[in-house]
Amino acid sequence: MEDQQLPPPPAPSPDALAERIRELPDRPGIYIFKDAGGKALYVGKAKSLRKRAASYLSREHEPRLAAMVAEAADLEFVVTDSPAEALLLENNWIKRRKPRYNILLRDDKTYPYLKLTVQEPVPRIAFTRRIRDDGAEYFGPFLPGGLARKAIKLVQKLFLVRVCNIEVDGSLARPCLYYDMHRCLGPCVAALTTPERYAEAVQQARLFLAGRNDMLVRRLKREMWEAAEETDYERAARLRDTLAEVEAIGERRKLSSVAGEDVDVYGVHVAAGHAAVVVLVMRGGQVLDRRELFWEGVGKVSPELLLSQVVPQIYDRTTFIPKEIHLPAPIEDEEALLAWLSERKGEKVYLRMPSRGPKAERIALARHNAEMAHRRRFRGQEIAPGAGALERHLTLLEPPRRIEGFDISHFQGGETVASLVVWEEGKMRKSEYRTFNIRGLDQPDDFAAMRQAVERRYRRRLEELGEMPDLILIDGGRGQLNAALAALADLGVEETPVVALAKREEELYLPARPEHLALRRDDAGLQLLQQVRDEAHRFAVSRHRRRRSARTLHSRLDELPGIGPKRRKLLLTRFGSLEKVRSAQVGALAAVLGQTLGARVFAQLHAAEGEDSSSGSSSSPDRAPGRR
């Protein structure tokens, strides 16, 4: 007799599911909702399984959880001894079962870290995407990923820590090329360095990567003076140069201080069924990095639910727990999470929801970053005309959706003004236009002006952790391009594409291309760059004229008796330019200055006008040569 396959047991009815929930114990643990086929739909934790699971039958839920309850046909549970154990068990079940209605943290492989193998006799610095409990120290995450590679180069340059993955016992006959390049102390060769000196370099690298620049600076200064007193001037000079670079890097990446503490600051933005979370990673009172996490199709999930499910998963995957975690919204089972985090860290951890003061301002900054990250990740799929062509011509990773263009305007080297315009997704964003009054130039220098404008723009963006554009457009040729690249290099920005567009022949200059690139005049990509370049030029000229007009008005009016700073400002506010003041009637001037002074100014201006016309000069400042 052949075996007959038995049909699956019928799924429990809603009443049967409710009965299962009522049978749950009043103890901590996890509960697992399943569908009719026995597949896990949702895993949750609770201090009381009975009370928590019963809440799914007695109240309204967010659309995501409401859909889960409607699909659920069965319920399982696992009892634990404490809420903290339930939290850990929930994380394990979520990672193993991947329930469809839980908000899953994506794999950390996209987030690079730096690994310092302090557990080895001769530590090395390495790039990794996995954090393991192997005794090494991990630093990061680094966003964008290129910052991790740059950090390795800095550690090599500043502290000469090795990057090779060989067994080092000092027995090699000669060092590798890194030693000749002054990028390694050469511990592989016994005579080149000492264990004490190499350990000292590793400790300095640890402080640098952890953002403890103040402590590192004090240490470097002490060692520099000790080397000088011992007449080891070569080492003292090297320490001096290292000190200067560390101080410069610290100033660039320092945002604000929280008494030197380690804090993770969270921002959340949910819109159009998608969610973005940004974590500002503060170490030693400095924002060192930010981490971006995205979820597609989560529906109308609340920040509270999103954070309740995501935060435990984040700290289950890292070996470092900060002292404080700042959140924009409360989360479920806060006590259990705090107990679990404190146990892992070995000391008390705090969850904060600041509502005012500097900490609340950082929450707002993180929320703003999350909004920008959401817009960048989930914006519409339509590509603006010309963006696709630029992707091909400039070998970009994707079509640019945000282009920032720079131009310089001056009059015979005076009143130099730089303009910044923003093109985003097919539109000029006039609310984001900026101008920079160039300082410190004694003579015309478009290259220096461009470098100053680019440096000031992106130093501010980096300090505020604002998003970088997909493409930077420079009005000019190879010289202007190199000036912009030098400014970006000083800031440590090497991944943002930059292109220069020269007038007349409309030639493109690219950093990695020795020859210029000439496109057809009807090419959509060239026309898009021309649109941004022409708008930057128009904006620069208009701001330059306004500044020069104000200067001219001030200088001519300063010559008139009775006109001081306050009355000059009144005239500037009322009329706007010297020509309009000259063309004003006596009554209009009297309304601003009074009857007597208004009549006197009117007479003096027209007398000066007559002297100018009798001198035979027909040129005006606006027509003089030398203006860009």
Side-chain angles (χ1 to χ4, degrees):
M1 182 176 180
E2 296 183 358
D3 293 337
Q4 294 183 353
Q5 186 176 1
L6 297 176
S13 65
D15 292 339
L17 183 62
E19 184 62 28
R20 292 288 299 273
I21 290 175
R22 283 191 287 270
E23 293 174 354
L24 292 175
D26 187 16
R27 293 188 57 185
I30 65 168
Y31 53 92
I32 307 99
F33 282 99
K34 295 185 174 182
D35 62 13
K39 187 174 182 179
L41 295 175
Y42 183 81
V43 177
K45 61 184 179 299
K47 291 186 293 186
S48 170
L49 288 170
R50 180 186 303 165
K51 295 177 182 178
R52 184 70 180 92
S55 68
Y56 287 92
L57 304 177
S58 60
R59 63 185 177 119
E60 295 184 357
H61 301 284
E62 297 177 349
R64 184 183 186 86
L65 294 183
M68 184 276 296
V69 172
E71 190 176 345
D74 198 0
L75 180 70
E76 285 187 6
F77 67 92
V78 178
V79 173
T80 62
D81 291 332
S82 68
E85 289 183 7
L87 178 65
L88 181 60
L89 187 60
E90 179 197 36
N91 280 337
N92 292 335
W93 275 63
I94 289 175
K95 283 190 290 186
R96 187 169 70 250
R97 302 290 183 90
K98 294 181 171 55
R100 178 152 51 98
Y101 287 98
N102 281 97
I103 299 175
L104 305 178
L105 184 65
R106 294 190 174 188
D107 199 320
D108 253 1
K109 65 183 180 181
T110 57
Y111 301 105
Y113 291 78
L114 292 188
K115 175 180 179 179
L116 189 61
T117 60
V118 293
Q119 80 279 14
E120 298 178 355
V122 185
R124 62 187 175 89
I125 188 76
F127 179 95
T128 183
R129 294 184 184 272
R130 299 290 185 191
I131 295 180
R132 305 183 187 279
D133 191 8
D134 55 3
E137 291 193 16
Y138 292 84
F139 305 91
F142 289 85
L143 298 170
L147 291 179
R149 305 286 187 189
K150 179 176 176 59
I152 288 180
K153 293 179 181 178
L154 279 172
V155 169
Q156 288 183 274
K157 176 183 177 182
L158 298 176
F159 310 111
L160 285 73
V161 175
R162 73 184 183 104
V163 296
C164 58
N165 189 18
I166 64 173
E167 185 176 349
V168 174
D169 56 8
S171 61
L172 292 184
R174 56 178 298 176
C176 68
L177 186 61
Y178 279 126
Y179 178 80
D180 295 328
M181 296 170 58
H182 303 288
R183 293 295 184 270
C184 181
L185 286 172
C188 54
V189 179
L192 296 181
T193 188
T194 64
E196 294 77 16
R197 185 175 176 188
Y198 191 82
E200 177 184 295
V202 170
Q203 179 60 21
Q204 292 173 352
R206 292 174 67 185
L207 294 174
F208 175 75
L209 291 173
R212 311 284 187 178
N213 282 12
D214 292 341
M215 189 183 303
L216 177 58
V217 165
R218 290 195 298 270
R219 181 171 183 158
L220 289 173
K221 285 182 178 179
R222 184 181 69 251
E223 293 175 1
M224 180 183 66
W225 289 116
E226 289 175 353
E229 290 175 358
E230 296 170 1
T231 67
D232 189 353
Y233 298 120
E234 181 179 350
R235 180 167 177 260
R238 187 176 65 252
L239 289 168
R240 178 202 60 203
D241 296 339
T242 302
L243 175 64
E245 288 217 39
V246 168
E247 288 179 328
I249 291 168
E251 285 302 313
R252 287 203 296 269
R253 71 184 185 182
K254 186 171 182 179
L255 176 67
S256 55
S257 173
V258 283
E261 296 178 352
D262 300 327
V263 183
D264 285 350
V265 185
Y266 283 74
V268 180
H269 186 74
V270 182
H274 308 307
V277 170
V278 164
V279 187
L280 301 184
V281 181
M282 302 187 72
R283 298 294 179 262
Q286 300 177 15
V287 175
L288 302 186
D289 284 293
R290 69 174 182 180
R291 180 178 181 183
E292 297 177 348
L293 304 168
F294 303 98
W295 292 268
E296 299 180 8
V298 295
K300 295 181 179 179
V301 63
S302 67
E304 291 82 358
L305 178 61
L306 183 65
L307 292 171
S308 297
Q309 297 194 23
V310 169
V311 171
Q313 295 182 61
I314 289 177
Y315 296 110
D316 187 41
R317 298 186 178 203
T318 181
T319 59
F320 182 83
I321 309 295
K323 181 69 174 178
E324 293 189 13
I325 299 171
H326 294 175
L327 302 172
I331 60 175
E332 296 180 353
D333 298 328
E334 177 182 326
E335 297 84 358
L337 177 60
L338 281 174
W340 176 66
L341 292 174
S342 300
E343 182 181 353
R344 291 200 65 198
K345 186 173 179 63
E347 61 178 295
K348 189 171 181 58
V349 176
Y350 298 90
L351 289 180
R352 312 283 193 195
M353 284 175 290
S355 59
R356 60 180 180 270
K359 295 181 179 180
E361 293 173 1
R362 294 186 199 104
I363 288 285
L365 177 62
R367 185 184 300 114
H368 178 61
N369 275 267
E371 182 179 353
M372 291 192 302
H374 186 285
R375 183 179 62 185
R376 184 174 62 253
R377 178 65 176 265
F378 300 114
R379 53 193 167 195
Q381 299 301 313
E382 294 185 4
I383 299 176
L390 289 178
E391 178 189 17
R392 296 189 302 272
H393 298 322
L394 308 181
T395 62
L396 305 177
L397 297 178
E398 60 182 0
R401 297 185 180 274
R402 182 183 176 94
I403 302 174
E404 296 190 354
F406 289 85
D407 187 28
I408 304 294
S409 180
H410 59 76
F411 177 71
Q412 296 181 345
E415 310 293 347
T416 302
V417 174
S419 69
L420 164 76
V421 300
V422 178
W423 175 94
E424 189 173 51
E425 297 183 346
K427 298 180 180 179
M428 302 304 301
R429 305 291 183 181
K430 294 190 176 182
S431 62
E432 299 189 44
Y433 287 11
R434 298 290 184 271
T435 56
F436 305 89
N437 293 330
I438 303 302
R439 304 184 291 259
L441 297 185
D442 298 329
Q443 56 186 354
D445 190 338
D446 284 359
F447 302 154
M450 183 64 71
R451 180 168 182 168
Q452 183 181 139
V454 172
E455 190 272 340
R456 287 166 59 184
R457 165 64 173 177
Y458 296 114
R459 179 183 295 278
R460 179 73 175 269
R461 297 297 285 176
L462 293 174
E463 289 174 351
E464 296 177 349
L465 296 183
E467 65 175 332
M468 294 293 289
D470 301 315
L471 179 65
I472 297 173
L473 173 63
I474 304 299
D475 179 22
R478 178 69 63 183
Q480 285 84 353
L481 174 65
N482 290 338
L485 292 173
L488 294 173
D490 289 343
L491 298 173
V493 177
E494 298 181 353
E495 296 190 342
T496 302
V498 187
V499 61
L501 177 60
K503 294 185 178 71
R504 296 182 182 176
E505 299 301 326
E506 305 293 5
E507 298 165 340
L508 296 180
Y509 291 87
L510 307 177
R513 185 185 177 106
E515 301 295 330
H516 68 264
L517 176 64
L519 301 178
R520 291 169 52 93
R521 293 303 176 104
D522 60 352
D523 183 87
L526 175 61
Q527 291 175 350
L528 173 55
L529 294 180
Q530 288 173 327
Q531 175 191 352
V532 179
R533 188 270 314 277
D534 293 345
E535 177 67 0
H537 180 71
R538 180 202 65 79
F539 190 56
V541 170
S542 66
R543 288 305 176 99
H544 167 73
R545 284 176 175 169
R546 181 183 303 179
R547 187 180 178 198
R548 184 157 52 90
S549 175
R551 178 182 58 82
T552 303
L553 176 63
H554 288 188
S555 61
R556 296 301 298 271
L557 291 178
D558 283 342
E559 301 172 359
L560 302 179
I563 301 298
K566 291 185 178 179
R567 285 173 175 156
R568 183 201 313 132
K569 184 177 180 180
L570 287 174
L571 290 171
L572 178 61
T573 303
R574 172 64 179 83
F575 299 103
S577 69
L578 179 61
E579 291 303 319
K580 291 184 178 180
V581 173
R582 280 175 169 168
S583 61
Q585 299 297 321
V586 176
L589 293 173
V592 177
L593 303 174
Q595 192 70 33
T596 303
L597 184 57
R600 188 195 309 160
V601 168
F602 180 85
Q604 290 171 335
L605 283 175
H606 285 271
E609 188 178 52
E611 293 174 2
D612 290 342
S613 62
S614 65
S615 65
S617 174
S618 60
S619 63
S620 67
D622 288 339
R623 296 188 180 90
R627 182 183 63 82
R628 287 199 68 221

